[in-house]
């Protein structure tokens, strides 16, 4: 889980991002024309647990190179 409010990831052709759902890891869809938004622990707190912070990981499922360029949304706590 990410601590921050959210993480924005660009889509990729190479699969590997996994999300934990009901105790099992499942592959997240991969599309180079879309973005993935991971909600973090700060977002969970801001929404009174309405939006959960997802446990996620990257599994090396291919020998192809994978480039991740995350953008972390972490606002100053004085502005919230």
């Amino acid at each position: 889980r990410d601590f921050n409010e959210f993480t924005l990831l660009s889509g990729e052709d190479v699969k590997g991002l996994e999300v934990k759902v009901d105790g099992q890891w499942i592959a997240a869809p991969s599309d180079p024309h879309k973005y993935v938004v991971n909600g973090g622990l700060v977002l969970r707190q801001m929404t009174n647990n309405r939006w959960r912070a997802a446990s996620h990981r990257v599994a090396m499922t291919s020998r192809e190179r994978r480039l991740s360029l995350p953008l972390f949304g972490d606002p100053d706590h004085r502005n919230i």
Side-chain angles (χ1 to χ4, degrees):
R1 294 183 198 165
D2 293 335
F3 173 77
N4 57 327
E5 186 177 354
F6 66 89
T7 303
L8 180 64
L9 299 166
S10 62
E12 298 189 40
D13 285 324
V14 180
K15 296 182 179 186
L17 181 62
E18 297 180 343
V19 180
K20 197 171 194 177
V21 177
D22 296 327
Q24 293 196 9
W25 291 101
I26 61 168
S30 178
D31 186 332
H33 304 289
K34 295 182 180 176
Y35 291 92
V36 175
V37 179
N38 290 329
L41 294 172
V42 171
L43 183 63
R44 183 183 75 175
Q45 184 176 8
M46 288 173 57
T47 62
N48 199 26
N49 293 329
R50 184 172 183 183
W51 288 43
R52 294 184 291 170
S55 294
H56 57 280
R57 68 182 184 187
V58 175
M60 298 301 295
T61 59
S62 170
R63 294 185 77 67
E64 294 181 65
R65 288 184 171 194
R66 177 182 173 87
L67 175 64
S68 294
L69 300 171
L71 171 67
F72 300 100
D74 198 6
D76 189 318
H77 71 280
R78 294 171 293 186
N79 297 326
I80 297 176

